[in-house]
Each structure stands twice: as structure tokens, then as C-alpha cells.
Amino acid sequence: MLDTKHEISGLLYLLRDKLKKPFVRCWKLNKGKNSLIRKYERALAGKDADEIYKYACILENLIDEGNEEAEPSMAVKWFEDSAELGCSDAMYRVGMIYEIGEFGLEPNAEISFLWYLRAADAGNTEAYFYAGICCQEGVGIEPDFERAMKYYRFGENEGDPFCIHQIGVMYGRGLGVPKNTQMAYEYYLKASVKSVPEAYQNIAVLCDTGELGEVDIQKAMYYYERAAELGQKESERRLHELRAENSGGEL
């Protein structure tokens, strides 16, 4: 499960890059800061939220490339302008900015949560996961497991594998729902089809500990290996131990 700020922020950076990909061609066509500002001003005058978001992404790319004329504070304003005009991707992006503390801003969990909430309520699929995580973990809000489950269910309906995995976590821990290991296992399996590393690891743990009724080391090793291939260090460590134990101490 993503239950540390480090792991959550790491995923945020991956999703941030995903959000910017549709505008990669625009970055190549950009003619400079002044031209970009004029385009932004026209979009703002026309209250075109999607166009403002596009130009904010282009500006962000200039910042990432080290362009000294590209001002971080300007990027924050453009994303916020787009969000205030109703762009759910911009709402989600502003939530990331305050979650991580980008563009020179200090992290602010309360503001981050409010933007994730607005994005989720606007139907942004990725935001369902983070609105749920904030409710589950008490990030910017008191823990509210039932509310967390509501957002995970929204994400499940959209096929979001991280939300599907977190529903498994909720059942596995008995958070907001009666503890049900079999239900947790079934949700982990659904998420594993979409290659969620934590889902592989959680299945492996259930097989390793016998929580499903009996210990199944071979199955545990299979899922630990899948998780390790996707970067799960704890799975890699446990896989190494099991291989040693089941090979007479020889690897």
C-alpha cells in the first residue's frame, strides 16, 4: 500500500509527467516566453480553461528545462487560473503542486486536499485515488474511512487500478468496512492485472503467511518476484530469503 509520503510523492511525479505528455509537440513549437504570455492572456480573456492549462504545461516544461525566463510563480498562477475556470486536470495538478511543494512553494496538505477534492468532484479519475488517500491517511483532513471508500469506489467504476488496490487494503485492514481477507485478495488480484506493484506484494504476503487458509510458498514467491520486478524492495528481500530457505541455503 502507498502509506508513506515518499511513496505517494513518487507516484505524483509520474502522474505529473503523464499529464504533460499531450502537450509535448506544443513545447517544440513554443516561440518564447513573451509569445506564451500573449497566448495565455488571450485564453484568460476568453475564459478558456483548457487552453490556459495547456500553456501552463508548456511553461512548466520550460522551467524543467532550466529556462531562466520561465518564472515558477507564473506557472502556479496559470495552473490555478485554469483550475478556477473549471479544468479538472488543472485542479488535480494544483493539488500535486501543494502536496509536493513545487515551484518554490512549501507543501501544504490542507490546500492540496481541497484541490484533490475539487478535482474528484469534477470527475477527474486520477484525483479519486488521492482524495481517497487523503481521507484514509488523514492528510489535510481528519481520517474518514467511509469517505475514502466512496472515492475509491468512484475510481473503481472508472477502472483505476490504484483505487481498486486501495479497496483491497480497506478490506484487508477493516477500515470503514468489516475486515474480509478474501475480499481483499480478490481486489488485489484485480489490481495486479494492471501491474500495481503493491498488489503483487500484498497477494504474496497473504500466500506467505497463510491468511487465506494455508501457506503457499511457491505462489508467494511468484508474486514476490512480480513485485520485485516492479521495484518493490521488501518483496525482493523476502524473495531472496525464501529462495535461500527452499534451496538448502544455496542460491
Side-chain angles (χ1 to χ4, degrees):
M1 175 208 164
L2 299 180
D3 60 358
T4 71
K5 298 291 284 183
H6 173 74
E7 289 173 315
I8 292 173
S9 294
L11 181 57
L12 279 168
Y13 277 115
L14 293 176
L15 292 176
R16 184 195 73 164
D17 290 342
K18 175 184 174 183
L19 286 173
K20 293 195 299 181
K21 282 182 180 179
F23 308 111
V24 66
R25 292 184 180 178
C26 298
W27 299 339
K28 303 301 183 184
L29 298 174
N30 176 57
K31 296 180 180 179
K33 175 184 172 183
N34 292 334
S35 174
L36 195 58
I37 290 175
R38 287 194 295 271
K39 291 178 180 178
Y40 154 76
E41 289 174 343
R42 285 197 296 270
L44 184 63
K47 297 184 178 181
D48 191 330
D50 292 337
E51 282 294 288
I52 295 171
Y53 176 70
K54 179 175 74 175
Y55 298 137
C57 288
I58 296 170
L59 179 61
E60 180 180 5
N61 186 64
L62 294 175
I63 293 169
D64 288 347
E65 291 177 347
N67 189 309
E68 295 182 358
E69 293 185 352
E71 301 172 14
S73 60
M74 187 181 297
V76 176
K77 183 180 186 306
W78 290 13
F79 279 122
E80 289 182 335
D81 286 343
S82 176
E84 292 291 359
L85 287 170
C87 176
S88 68
D89 281 342
M91 295 173 193
Y92 177 46
R93 184 69 188 91
V94 174
M96 287 188 191
I97 290 169
Y98 283 101
E99 167 79 15
I100 300 171
E102 295 182 87
F103 303 119
L105 296 178
E106 289 294 320
N108 188 311
E110 289 77 15
I111 294 177
S112 174
F113 170 68
L114 290 176
W115 280 111
Y116 287 145
L117 196 62
R118 287 183 64 175
D121 289 341
N124 186 283
T125 302
E126 285 83 3
Y128 291 143
F129 173 75
Y130 281 98
I133 282 289
C134 288
C135 293
Q136 178 185 333
E137 299 293 335
V139 179
I141 185 178
E142 289 297 313
D144 187 336
F145 300 139
E146 291 184 2
R147 195 176 185 186
M149 183 65 92
K150 180 185 78 170
Y151 286 112
Y152 294 148
R153 291 292 191 192
F154 286 155
E156 179 190 14
N157 291 338
E158 297 296 326
D160 183 85
F162 296 103
C163 286
I164 291 170
H165 172 259
Q166 286 307 116
I167 293 174
V169 171
M170 301 295 274
Y171 277 112
R173 297 184 177 183
L175 303 178
V177 291
K179 182 178 173 65
N180 188 320
T181 303
Q182 183 61 40
M183 285 288 288
Y185 173 68
E186 291 174 7
Y187 273 98
Y188 294 151
L189 281 176
K190 290 180 183 179
S192 72
V193 172
K194 299 293 183 68
S195 297
V196 176
E198 294 78 14
Y200 285 130
Q201 180 165 293
N202 286 338
I203 294 170
V205 170
L206 292 178
C207 297
D208 193 0
T209 58
E211 291 182 59
L212 291 172
E214 61 180 7
V215 173
D216 189 334
I217 295 301
Q218 292 303 313
K219 193 171 182 180
M221 290 176 66
Y222 171 81
Y223 281 105
Y224 279 135
E225 185 173 6
R226 298 286 80 74
E229 289 172 350
L230 293 172
Q232 286 294 311
K233 297 301 182 183
E234 179 60 27
S235 288
E236 184 178 353
R237 182 195 64 77
R238 181 58 180 152
L239 179 63
H240 182 84
E241 291 178 350
L242 289 175
R243 282 174 172 169
E245 292 170 4
N246 288 274
S247 61
E250 296 181 5
L251 296 179

